[in-house]
Each structure stands twice: as C-alpha cells, then as structure tokens.
C-alpha cells in the first residue's frame, strides 16, 4: 500500500502518540449516502470533512464532524471569530490540502 507524502505525516504523528491505526480506502464520493456503501463493516465513528474558508479567503478550515450531524456554520463563525464561512472551492482544496473533491480516507485509530 503506498501513501501520499501528506499522509505519511499524519501516520507518523499517530505512531509517535502510540495510537494504532488501520487505513481503509474508497473511491471519491460526494455525499454521506455514497460513502456509507463503502463503510459497511467498518466499526467506529463515521465522519465527514468540510473544507471551509472565511469571507476574505485568507483563512481555511477543515471541519470534521460525525456523518449524521449537520454543521452549523453560523455557530462556527462565532467560535472561530469569523465574519462568514463558506465552502472552499475545488481549486482551494487542491492548493491548500493537495486533495481532489470527493476524495476521502477512512482511518481507524485505537488508543
């Protein structure tokens, strides 16, 4: 199994913290419903990733929440002291995280 350079940093950090992990891959998906097809049989919390940017576009956030929950962007605005959050474009996602839209990775980490 080969890892992207960006992934290696995450796995090294988990290893340094003594957290065992198992990686599951699936093809790009755009909804939780699509992802659920690939999660069958995988124990643990299933999450979704939301790539957000502030109004000026000079700060970006990766918000990870339980798949069944809806993000309250207004509440996040207050918690992060932002004026207005919106979803980042595919170009921004590629530039800042090196990812394509719909690409996800399931990682099970046990302590």
């Amino acid at each position: 199994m080969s890892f992207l350079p960006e992934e290696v940093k995450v796995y090294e950090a988990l290893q340094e913290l003594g957290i065992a992990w198992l990686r599951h891959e699936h093809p790009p998906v755009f909804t939780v419903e699509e992802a659920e097809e690939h999660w069958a049989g995988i124990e643990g919390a299933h999450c979704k990733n939301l790539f957000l940017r502030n109004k000026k576009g000079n700060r970006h956030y990766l918000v990870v929440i339980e798949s069944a929950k809806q993000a309250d962007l207004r509440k996040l605005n207050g918690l992060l002291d932002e004026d207005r959050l919106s979803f980042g474009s595919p170009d921004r996602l590629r530039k800042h995280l090196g990812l394509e839209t719909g690409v996800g990775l399931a990682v099970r980490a046990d302590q």
Side-chain angles (χ1 to χ4, degrees):
M1 184 179 307
S2 62
F3 302 126
L4 297 171
E6 296 84 2
E7 291 177 83
V8 172
K9 294 176 188 177
V10 173
Y11 302 138
E12 286 174 348
L14 290 172
Q15 186 173 349
E16 287 175 19
L17 293 168
I19 299 172
W21 54 272
L22 180 61
R23 182 177 189 253
H24 299 274
E25 291 185 59
H26 63 74
V29 294
F30 300 95
T31 66
V32 169
E33 291 76 22
E34 288 178 271
E36 285 174 340
E37 295 175 25
H38 305 285
W39 293 342
I42 300 175
E43 294 181 21
H46 296 150
C47 301
K48 58 185 171 184
N49 301 315
L50 307 175
F51 180 63
L52 306 173
R53 58 168 276 193
N54 68 348
K55 184 177 181 178
K56 291 181 181 178
N58 62 348
R59 284 194 289 264
H60 298 81
Y61 301 93
L62 181 62
V63 178
V64 181
I65 62 172
E66 190 177 337
S67 63
K69 295 191 178 200
Q70 267 192 303
D72 183 342
L73 296 186
R74 289 182 190 208
K75 187 173 183 178
L76 273 173
N77 284 332
L79 291 170
L80 297 171
D81 196 30
E82 290 291 357
D83 185 27
R84 186 185 77 207
L85 293 172
S86 61
F87 290 96
S89 68
D91 288 339
R92 286 176 185 270
L93 180 64
R94 193 176 307 108
K95 176 182 176 184
H96 295 288
L97 296 181
L99 298 173
E100 296 297 324
T101 303
V103 172
L105 180 67
V107 176
R108 177 181 169 182
D110 299 313
Q111 273 189 303

